[in-house]
Amino acid sequence: MVLVFSIPWLVWRLLRTESFAPLVVVQIMAGILLGPGMLGQAAPELHATVFTPAVIQSLNGLAWWGVMLFVMIAGVELDLRQAWAHRVESGVTAGLALGTPLLLGAGAGLVLLAGGGWIGPSARPWQFVLGIGMACAVTALPILILFMEKMALLRQPLGQRILRYASLDDIAIWAVLALILMDWTRVGRQLGFLLVFALATWLVRALMRRVPEGDRWYLALIWLGLCALGSDWAGLHFMVGAFLAGAVLDADWFDQERMDLLRHHVLLVLMPVFFLSTGLRTEWAMGGWPVFLAAAILLLAAVVGKLLGVHIAGRILRWPPGEARIVGWLLQTKALIMIIFANILLDKGVITADAFTALLLMAVASTMLTVPCVTPLLQRVRG
C-alpha cells in the first residue's frame, strides 16, 4: 500500500505533470512500471518477493470492489432525460462519435487477428474484432467529468452537451460488452436474469421513493451487490451488473455534493489499488515491439475515428468553428472505463495478455493527449 500511494503521488507532485499527465494517468503508469513487464523483468526476485500471490489476491479484491462502486456512480450520473430532450442532436453526435472509431478500431482488430497471438482462447473472431473496435470507441465518463471540472467547463452549456454524448456512448459500451460476453449455451439463464432484473428494478425504484436519503445510500450498495451477483451468475461479468445497478437509479435521489464526494473518495482510496493491480497484469511476452506497434495502430484508429466522427456531426449540426475539435478531444478520454473494459475481455478469454497490454498503452496515451490538446483550443474559443 505504501508503493500504491507514494510513488504516483511523488512523481505527480515533484515533476509537476498535471498539464500533460493528471494523477490518474500517473497512477496507471506506476502500475505498469511495477508490473511483470517492467519491474518483473528488471528485478524478478524483488517483484516476486513484494507481489506474492496472497498480496495480488488481496489487491484484486480491493480493486474490483472499488471499480464496482466507481461504475455504479457512473451509471447513477447518466442523465437520460436530458439526452431524450435533445435526442436528435445527442443521437447524431453520440452515434458518429462512437460508430466511426468503432469501425476503424474493428479494422485494426482485423489486422491484429491476421497477425495471430492477440485473440484469447475463449473468443470467436467476431467477439475479438468487436471488442477491439469498442475499446477504440470508449469514452471514460467519470474521468471526463474530472477533466471538465478542472477546465471550468462542466457546468457550462458545452460541458453539459458533452456529458450527454458521453452518457449515450456509455450505455452503448455496456450493451456491446453484454453482447460480446453472451454465452449462447446459457441464453435461458441470461434472459432469466434480465427478466428478474426488470422486476427488481421496479421494486427498488418504488422503495427508493419512499425512504429517506440516508437509507438510499445503504440500499444502493445492497442493490449493487445483488445486481453484480446476478449478472455473474448469468454468465455476464459482474461489472455489467454494477453499471446496470446505477443506471436504473435517479441522480436526484442523492445529494449531488455527497455523490461527488463519494466519487472523489473512491478515486482517492480505492482506485489507485485498481491501477496497480491492472499494471501487474501487463505482459511483454512477444518481445516488446509488437505490443507497442499494436498500441500505435489502436491509438491511431481511436484518435482519428473520434475526431472524424465528431467533425462530421459538427458539420451536420452546424456547430461554431473550433467546437468540434474540443468535443472530439474531450470524448477521446479513455482511461478507467477502457481499462475496466479490457480487464473484462482478458478475464473472459476474449483477448490475450499482449492484446490487453496494447489496449492499456493506447488508453494511457489517448488520455494523456486530452488536456494538452483541449487547453489551447478552449483558450482560443474563449478569447
Side-chain angles (χ1 to χ4, degrees):
M1 299 305 282
V2 170
L3 291 174
V4 168
F5 289 101
S6 63
I7 294 177
W9 181 79
L10 287 171
V11 171
W12 174 72
R13 178 56 66 198
L14 296 178
L15 298 184
R16 301 180 182 276
T17 67
E18 185 64 34
S19 61
F20 62 93
L23 180 57
V24 171
V25 174
V26 178
Q27 288 168 336
I28 298 168
M29 293 299 295
I32 295 172
L33 292 174
L34 292 171
M38 293 293 185
L39 181 62
Q41 293 287 333
E45 292 184 3
L46 176 61
H47 185 272
T49 301
V50 175
F51 298 108
T52 63
V55 168
I56 292 176
Q57 184 178 16
S58 300
L59 290 174
N60 285 341
L62 288 171
W64 281 117
W65 175 242
V67 173
M68 286 172 64
L69 287 170
F70 199 81
V71 169
M72 185 193 74
I73 293 168
V76 172
E77 289 175 335
L78 290 177
D79 194 343
L80 298 179
R81 286 171 294 187
Q82 280 295 318
W84 179 252
H86 303 84
R87 53 189 173 275
V88 174
E89 180 217 359
S90 299
V92 168
T93 307
L96 287 167
L98 185 79
T100 311
L102 191 153
L103 289 174
L104 292 183
L110 288 172
V111 172
L112 295 181
L113 191 63
W118 306 98
I119 185 171
S122 303
R124 296 184 179 93
W126 72 267
Q127 291 173 308
F128 174 80
V129 171
L130 183 58
I132 295 294
M134 184 52 77
C136 291
V138 165
T139 295
L141 181 62
I143 301 303
L144 176 64
I145 291 172
L146 293 177
F147 281 178
M148 289 201 296
E149 276 181 338
K150 292 179 181 179
M151 297 175 184
L153 190 63
L154 182 60
R155 305 304 174 193
Q156 301 299 317
L158 178 60
Q160 292 299 301
R161 280 172 46 205
I162 293 171
L163 281 185
R164 290 201 302 272
Y165 310 148
S167 298
L168 290 176
D169 285 352
D170 238 21
I171 296 171
I173 289 161
W174 294 103
V176 169
L177 179 63
L179 176 64
I180 293 171
L181 299 181
M182 187 73 74
D183 184 351
W184 301 104
T185 62
R186 303 169 69 183
V187 169
R189 180 179 286 196
Q190 290 164 347
L191 289 175
F193 163 71
L194 292 175
L195 289 173
V196 172
F197 173 77
L199 176 61
T201 295
W202 179 78
L203 294 173
V204 166
R205 288 180 60 84
L207 182 60
M208 283 284 191
R209 293 189 187 98
R210 288 169 171 77
V211 299
E213 189 198 346
D215 292 328
R216 288 173 184 164
W217 294 95
Y218 291 98
L219 286 173
L221 294 177
I222 297 168
W223 174 236
L224 167 63
L226 289 172
C227 290
L229 282 171
S231 64
D232 206 49
W233 168 82
L236 302 171
H237 199 277
F238 57 85
M239 209 54 60
V240 175
F243 176 77
L244 291 174
V248 298
L249 301 180
D250 292 350
D252 53 17
W253 289 342
F254 305 92
D255 180 75
Q256 185 62 55
E257 289 186 9
R258 292 182 69 185
M259 185 63 76
D260 291 341
L261 201 59
L262 176 60
R263 185 179 65 246
H264 170 76
H265 287 157
V266 171
L267 272 170
L268 175 69
V269 177
L270 290 174
M271 292 310 289
V273 183
F274 171 71
F275 299 139
L276 179 70
S277 67
T278 297
L280 294 176
R281 308 176 77 169
T282 56
E283 297 287 350
W284 313 89
M286 294 175 64
W289 69 265
V291 173
F292 284 102
L293 179 60
I297 293 171
L298 294 170
L299 180 63
L300 183 65
V303 172
V304 172
K306 189 71 73 175
L307 292 177
L308 179 61
V310 175
H311 177 74
I312 295 171
R315 292 292 295 270
I316 293 172
L317 299 170
R318 299 181 181 180
W319 290 350
E323 198 171 90
R325 283 201 292 168
I326 294 174
V327 175
W329 278 112
L330 281 170
L331 291 178
Q332 188 59 50
T333 305
K334 293 197 182 309
L336 272 190
I337 298 300
M338 215 275 338
I339 295 172
I340 295 167
F341 186 84
N343 264 285
I344 295 170
L345 295 182
L346 181 63
D347 278 344
K348 293 295 185 179
V350 177
I351 59 175
T352 62
D354 297 307
F356 171 77
T357 301
L359 289 172
L360 182 64
L361 293 174
M362 182 268 283
V364 170
S366 65
T367 306
M368 289 181 68
L369 287 171
T370 301
V371 174
C373 291
V374 170
T375 302
L377 294 173
L378 270 178
Q379 290 173 346
R380 196 177 308 157
V381 169
R382 287 168 174 165

